[in-house]
Amino acid sequence: MSSSYINSAVPDTSDRMLFAVPKKGRLYDHCVGLLSNIGIEFNRKPRHDIALVTNMPIALVFLPAADIAAYVAKGSVDLGITGLDIIRESQTEDDVAELIRLGFGKCKLQIQAPAENHAVKEAKDLVGKRIVTSFINLTRQRFAELEGVDDPMKIKTQVRFVSGSVEAACGLGLADGIVDLVESGDTMRAAGLHSIDTLMDTESVLITNQHARFPQLAETIKQRVEGILTARKYVLCQYNIARTSLDAACMVTPGRQAPTITSLEQEGWVAISVMVEKRMLAEKMDALKEIGAADILVLQIANARA
């Protein structure tokens, strides 16, 4: 691995799984929080791009997010967190295995054009024009489709690379349109741009090399992440209900597999404990009340395993 990324003063990592995470930017805070939640303990020293995990045989490698897919694909690191957009842009889909989507870093890769230019209403109106982007490959592929060209390198649209502040290119007269990631759209609107095409939806994913050196450890990390994502998605709902209404209750709250049912000392009544999706909780509680449920409680789930 390039010495520009790794401080030479770090200990030997040959017996550790190398886990790449973004070193800065919009994904860094999410990743650090996730690592903490799945029980990975480490202390990253200032200006060091490797941190040894103290409670597992793992070394965290902090890399630019745009490079992580390529490093995982080459086997330079074993595991990594990056965006779906980066995987497709780096053309490493065949060399990495997607373990799990993480639910953060969600945005869209879009073609944006000046809103005041009424001659540009859709992507094909930019064919043959000037486009700037940091997603050269995906942009060329899209315009090859629009132009009906098999080879993305033979398009007539002028696609140029810009690494940052892409949204300013049109206002500066450097481009007729841009391709960039859009989350809320506020930055684009402030630059006088609007979307005319979406190339893809993206989010952060956990990936591994197709021939990972530590497959069992990678599976352990995946299971831990799945547990955290499950805990974020569900709550534990507990309530009491008459046994005569049990079938109706199970229809309202079937759970992920099945509800846990316990007989109460009060004859004819049972207690039910069941996982419910957070987004449906209010509706479920209303329905439970309508069929006679009592003592309805909702508990947060800190972690889970399927």
Side-chain angles (χ1 to χ4, degrees):
M1 189 178 298
S2 172
S3 60
S4 63
Y5 290 140
I6 301 177
N7 190 297
S8 60
V10 299
D12 177 46
T13 60
S14 58
D15 59 344
R16 292 174 177 262
M17 183 176 74
L18 300 182
F19 188 171
V21 295
K23 65 187 301 182
K24 60 182 180 179
R26 61 189 178 89
L27 298 182
Y28 174 80
D29 291 337
H30 285 294
C31 291
V32 170
L34 178 63
L35 294 174
S36 175
N37 287 334
I38 64 174
I40 291 182
E41 300 175 3
F42 68 97
N43 179 29
R44 183 187 180 188
K45 297 179 181 179
R47 304 183 67 81
H48 281 228
D49 289 332
I50 280 189
L52 299 184
V53 174
T54 59
N55 59 339
M56 300 181 77
I58 297 173
L60 299 177
V61 185
F62 295 89
L63 298 171
D67 295 340
I68 289 176
Y71 274 83
V72 174
K74 293 175 182 177
S76 300
V77 295
D78 304 291
L79 204 65
I81 295 176
T82 190
L84 288 169
D85 53 297
I86 298 299
I87 297 171
R88 286 191 53 191
E89 174 62 21
S90 60
Q91 300 177 331
T92 55
E93 300 101 315
D94 295 335
D95 299 311
V96 302
E98 180 184 317
L99 295 182
I100 187 171
R101 300 194 177 190
L102 302 176
F104 58 78
K106 291 185 176 182
C107 50
K108 298 177 182 293
L109 183 63
Q110 295 183 329
I111 301 177
Q112 297 264 337
E116 63 182 16
N117 186 354
H118 302 296
V120 178
K121 297 181 180 179
E122 53 186 339
K124 67 180 181 180
D125 294 330
L126 287 174
V127 168
K129 305 294 186 179
R130 301 168 302 162
I131 308 296
V132 301
T133 182
S134 59
F135 295 88
I136 292 289
N137 291 325
L138 289 172
T139 301
R140 284 178 175 154
Q141 290 170 15
R142 178 58 179 140
F143 277 92
E145 294 172 1
L146 293 171
E147 295 182 25
V149 177
D150 292 332
D151 187 350
M153 298 304 295
K154 294 183 179 180
I155 60 175
K156 60 183 179 181
T157 304
Q158 304 169 47
V159 180
R160 297 179 180 175
F161 178 82
V162 175
S163 61
S165 299
V166 178
E167 69 279 357
C170 293
L172 294 173
L174 301 175
D176 301 298
I178 69 167
V179 175
D180 202 11
L181 293 174
V182 178
E183 189 172 0
S184 67
D186 291 343
T187 300
M188 297 302 174
R189 284 189 290 271
L193 303 173
H194 71 134
S195 173
I196 57 173
D197 192 24
T198 297
L199 278 64
M200 65 176 294
D201 293 305
T202 183
E203 66 178 287
S204 298
V205 291
L206 179 68
I207 59 174
T208 186
N209 182 272
Q210 294 281 18
H211 307 287
R213 296 182 302 153
F214 303 88
Q216 188 55 54
L217 188 53
E219 180 62 24
T220 297
I221 297 300
K222 175 188 174 183
Q223 290 178 5
R224 290 189 182 190
V225 171
E226 286 177 336
I228 292 298
L229 297 182
T230 298
R232 291 175 180 174
K233 184 177 181 181
Y234 290 89
V235 292
L236 185 65
C237 184
Q238 297 179 333
Y239 59 92
N240 299 333
I241 196 163
R243 187 175 291 276
T244 54
S245 299
L246 182 56
D247 289 343
C250 291
M251 290 289 290
V252 174
T253 57
R256 295 190 70 197
Q257 292 184 329
T260 299
I261 302 170
T262 307
S263 296
L264 296 178
E265 289 190 8
Q266 182 177 347
E267 186 176 352
W269 280 73
V270 295
I272 293 182
S273 180
V274 63
M275 293 173 68
V276 175
E277 284 193 54
K278 290 181 180 179
R279 64 183 180 86
M280 303 177 65
L281 179 59
E283 297 174 10
K284 297 293 186 181
M285 293 180 74
D286 292 340
L288 288 173
K289 196 65 179 176
E290 288 178 4
I291 62 173
D295 304 322
I296 304 172
L297 302 176
V298 176
L299 306 175
Q300 296 296 325
I301 302 173
N303 207 333
R305 287 289 193 280

